[in-house]
Amino acid sequence: MAEGSRAGPLAFGQVVIGPPGSGKSTYCQAMGAFLAQLGRRVAVVNLDPANEALPGPCALDIGELVTLPDVMASLGLGPNGGLLYCMEYLEANADWLRERLRALQGHYLLFDCPGQVELYTHHQALKNVFAQLAKWNFRLAAVHLVDSHYCTDPGKFISVLCTSLSTMLHVELPHVNVLSKMDLIEHYGKLAFNLDYYTEVLDLSYLLDHLASDPFFRNFRRLNEKLVEVIEDYSLVSFVPLNVQDKQSMRQVLQAVDKASGFSFGDREQRSLEALMSAALGADFHFSSTLAVQEKYVQSQDKAVEEEVMDL
């Protein structure tokens, strides 16, 4: 077997993907800090050549290899074409990536990826990079971030479901879909259903009925029905709610990711986690679902209604 194809030591990590503005870089820094408190050695790897203002330190930056402004200036490409070229350039220079990753041996890696949706739905370059990482003995889970404000618009939510499903099928990694910025959801508007309806992607026929009340979407009911059928036939998409400022929410996401990647932590980390969560919650920590997030959302809605009544 050639030296270049020989697998390295087993390593674990997360591939953080999602559309622009979904909070990928913020998530990487917050998750990195959370894992460091649990005793893991964490390194953030920036794979976004357009990310010039990183919110925190990263151990490896693709900017050392290629940057989007340089590509756009030298090749006369726009932002989208330039980003695709950068990913193809990274794929062609996989040896550069492997050499840099060798210096991070023993670390749990968080890969901060670009935000262009095409990279995860039909373009091959980044998918091939992930496949190459798997050959190098990296056990990765894809964390797909979606801004929670899409839940407030049924039409956009169906679009997000289709994009998430397409991403899961194309990337071909263990996958965790995350609704990010849950601390801001009350600012986006009132949800038509309880939060668990969106996180568990329950009976979408109710969503179709809700869409039918809109004159615009009423004309596309048949199309929406077919899209919903595709989503329900695969039965793959569900979401974990995330508020990066809430340790309980971070723990819930981490549990889903560790389960997906096969990472198993030892007794020492488990004790650190229990101590951390007990300090955060003021009591012994027990795993909870979306009920806590839902309760906070309902309370914020009730408060808003009370304020409106007082104003009247």
Side-chain angles (χ1 to χ4, degrees):
M1 181 181 294
E3 177 66 25
S5 62
R6 191 173 299 163
L10 186 64
F12 288 88
Q14 304 177 25
V15 171
V16 184
I17 62 179
S22 57
K24 296 183 296 297
S25 296
T26 301
Y27 170 86
C28 287
Q29 297 300 324
M31 181 58 74
F34 184 73
L35 291 172
Q37 289 182 291
L38 300 182
R40 293 192 200 180
R41 297 175 63 195
V42 184
V44 176
V45 177
N46 177 43
L47 292 185
D48 185 359
N51 199 348
E52 298 179 338
L54 297 171
C58 63
L60 173 58
D61 187 359
I62 192 178
E64 300 173 12
L65 176 69
V66 62
T67 64
L68 181 59
D70 289 344
V71 168
M72 293 172 61
S74 60
L75 300 180
L77 296 173
N80 292 338
L83 195 52
L84 296 179
Y85 177 88
C86 288
M87 293 300 99
E88 292 172 354
Y89 191 78
L90 175 63
E91 179 188 2
N93 291 272
D95 290 340
W96 173 88
L97 179 61
R98 185 175 194 184
E99 189 63 31
R100 297 302 189 279
L101 290 175
R102 280 176 176 164
L104 301 176
Q105 184 175 332
H107 286 74
Y108 185 93
L109 300 178
L110 298 171
F111 292 89
D112 187 0
C113 297
Q116 192 167 350
V117 176
E118 297 94 314
L119 292 171
Y120 313 114
T121 56
H122 57 273
H123 196 258
Q124 296 294 321
L126 203 51
K127 172 186 175 180
N128 293 340
V129 171
F130 296 157
Q132 190 63 59
L133 289 169
K135 292 180 181 178
W136 298 337
N137 229 7
F138 284 86
R139 298 294 179 263
L140 303 174
V143 179
H144 182 220
L145 299 183
V146 175
D147 198 316
S148 60
H149 86 267
Y150 290 115
C151 295
T152 61
D153 187 317
K156 291 180 179 179
F157 186 64
I158 289 180
S159 175
V160 161
L161 292 175
C162 292
T163 302
S164 299
L165 177 60
S166 178
T167 300
M168 294 176 75
L169 297 176
H170 181 73
V171 172
E172 296 181 348
L173 284 175
H175 206 95
V176 177
N177 293 304
V178 174
L179 285 177
S180 63
K181 305 180 184 179
M182 288 303 301
D183 53 318
L184 301 177
I185 192 171
E186 65 268 16
H187 302 300
Y188 298 141
K190 186 174 177 58
L191 296 179
F193 308 99
N194 287 338
L195 186 61
D196 58 352
Y197 177 87
Y198 300 93
T199 58
E200 301 300 326
V201 189
L202 303 175
D203 190 350
L204 295 179
S205 62
Y206 293 103
L207 204 62
L208 290 174
D209 294 337
H210 194 73
L211 280 171
S213 62
D214 188 311
F216 175 80
F217 287 107
R218 189 181 303 133
N219 298 327
F220 300 97
R221 183 179 179 93
R222 184 62 177 164
L223 172 62
N224 290 327
E225 287 176 349
K226 291 301 181 182
L227 292 175
V228 164
E229 285 180 13
V230 172
I231 296 166
E232 292 184 332
D233 285 347
Y234 277 96
S235 190
L236 289 175
V237 184
S238 62
F239 296 93
V240 181
L242 172 65
N243 173 6
V244 295
Q245 299 176 4
D246 184 353
K247 288 184 172 62
Q248 182 177 354
S249 177
M250 294 288 286
R251 170 65 182 96
Q252 186 177 353
V253 173
L254 178 60
Q255 184 184 50
V257 173
D258 283 349
K259 182 178 179 181
S261 66
F263 183 92
S264 60
F265 45 81
D267 293 338
R268 181 177 179 181
E269 181 170 317
Q270 179 64 37
R271 290 194 298 271
S272 299
L273 177 61
E274 291 173 353
L276 177 64
M277 298 311 302
S278 296
L281 302 176
D284 290 338
F285 172 71
H286 299 285
F287 176 77
S288 63
S289 61
T290 61
L291 293 178
V293 181
Q294 173 69 20
E295 183 178 355
K296 292 179 182 178
Y297 172 76
V298 172
Q299 289 175 350
S300 65
Q301 290 294 312
D302 292 342
K303 183 178 180 181
V305 172
E306 291 177 0
E307 291 176 350
E308 290 179 2
V309 172
M310 293 179 65
D311 291 339
L312 294 175

